[in-house]
Amino acid sequence: MKYPYGKNILITGAGSGLGKSSAEYFAQAGYSVWGVSRSCGRSERQVGAGVIRMLPMDVTDDASVDAAAAEILAQSGGIGIVLHCAGFGIAGACEDTPLEAAHAQMETNYFGVLRVNRAILPSMRAQGFGLILVTGSVAGLVSIPFQSHYASSKFALEAAVQALRMEGRPFGIRAALLEPGDTRTGFTGARKMALPEASPYRAACERAVGKMAHDEENGKPPESVAKKALALAQKRNPRMHHVIGADYRLLAGLIKLLPEGAVEAILRRMYCSAPRG
């Protein structure tokens, strides 16, 4: 096992789903994992050759991020890797989604990443190395109907990571995106709905979300993302995009090759078609 960024890793959203699975995976590989989530308590446990230390951090709150980051940096002596897994989804039509719900989506999925990075990047520059791994999504490559705000948050991360890669390179800082498709986690059950009773989009949205939930519940295990994150932690110069799974890599390739109209028609057929009677 190689540790080009050292053995200390900070994982957000580590209380459940992709973050929890990744914390276990990295600890088994000998890393000292600092796991944070909004609702977790403080704990420490040995896992394999490594350790997982949990403490609370709300990525939507500046003071919470700054306090937790300062404590982690003081106790760890420096963080070499940050793996961003905190996030949630909102489903609903663009027209139906209240602005406060859209703001909440961006606060966690996008601004949460920026807050944590701002707290950790100065120490990475000082030590001369670091790796920022951001959990994006295939929805950051192509938007899905009734997931517009979730997709927007993931599209925004694409731009941020691309810029960070160029800005951080002179300081030994690398950045990459993990882009999973449908994955079996608590994300499905935690999805928030923006669906008024009288919405003209209601029937179509319910069908689309039902299809999404079915695909997620039968999707890849969270370990598929954790395994890829660990593989990237062994690389000194990882490329930017890492779509998880051969099927989704094929989809990402088709998105680039097919005309826009063809991609849109496929997505409409998948998520917007009325059921056959």
Side-chain angles (χ1 to χ4, degrees):
M1 181 71 67
K2 299 177 182 178
Y3 302 96
Y5 307 99
K7 291 188 176 182
N8 291 328
I9 179 172
L10 166 61
I11 302 179
T12 70
S16 62
L18 297 180
K20 183 177 181 179
S21 177
S22 296
E24 299 276 347
Y25 221 83
F26 272 84
Q28 288 284 355
Y31 282 84
S32 292
V33 177
W34 299 83
V36 297
S37 74
R38 183 171 55 185
S39 58
C40 77
R42 291 175 178 270
S43 64
E44 179 176 331
R45 61 190 175 96
Q46 198 75 27
V47 178
V51 62
I52 299 176
R53 299 178 179 88
M54 295 292 297
L55 68 159
M57 175 195 285
D58 181 351
V59 299
T60 69
D61 182 86
D62 290 349
S64 176
V65 170
D66 290 344
E71 180 179 341
I72 290 168
L73 289 172
Q75 294 188 23
S76 66
I79 292 293
I81 305 169
V82 177
L83 173 56
H84 292 278
C85 295
F88 74 98
I90 293 175
C94 292
E95 181 182 340
D96 286 337
T97 306
L99 283 180
E100 58 266 29
H103 280 298
Q105 180 76 102
M106 295 298 289
E107 280 293 342
T108 296
N109 291 14
Y110 179 66
F111 290 111
V113 170
L114 302 192
R115 284 189 185 91
V116 175
N117 283 352
R118 282 173 58 85
I120 300 296
L121 283 170
S123 67
M124 286 186 168
R125 280 192 293 102
Q127 68 193 12
F129 63 88
L131 175 64
I132 304 292
L133 296 175
V134 178
T135 303
S137 172
V138 171
L141 303 176
V142 60
S143 192
I144 300 170
F146 306 107
Q147 293 273 270
S148 60
H149 298 297
Y150 174 74
S152 294
S153 72
K154 297 302 184 179
F155 266 80
L157 289 173
E158 296 274 330
V161 171
Q162 186 171 31
L164 177 58
R165 284 171 61 85
M166 294 182 281
E167 296 164 359
R169 190 171 187 84
F171 304 102
I173 297 169
R174 305 292 185 258
L177 277 160
L178 297 156
E179 295 162 321
D182 297 312
T183 310
R184 297 194 305 270
T185 67
F187 178 90
T188 304
R191 180 183 283 114
K192 299 181 184 300
M193 299 294 295
L195 191 58
E197 190 66 36
S199 171
Y201 305 98
R202 187 174 184 86
C205 182
E206 288 177 338
R207 287 196 300 271
V209 173
K211 164 97 169 104
M212 294 170 203
H214 174 272
D215 291 346
E216 290 160 0
E217 289 164 356
N218 292 276
K220 299 186 184 306
E223 291 78 16
S224 62
V225 179
K227 182 178 180 180
K228 187 62 179 181
L230 182 60
L232 292 179
Q234 314 305 306
K235 298 181 180 295
R236 294 187 180 277
N237 292 290
R239 56 186 171 80
M240 178 173 166
H241 294 281
H242 300 273
V243 180
I244 310 298
D247 48 352
Y248 290 107
R249 288 195 293 273
L250 175 61
L251 174 62
L254 289 174
I255 290 168
K256 294 178 181 178
L257 293 174
L258 292 175
E260 291 180 359
V263 173
E264 188 175 308
I266 291 169
L267 292 171
R268 286 202 314 270
R269 190 173 298 115
M270 288 176 64
Y271 295 106
C272 298
S273 298
R276 296 177 180 178

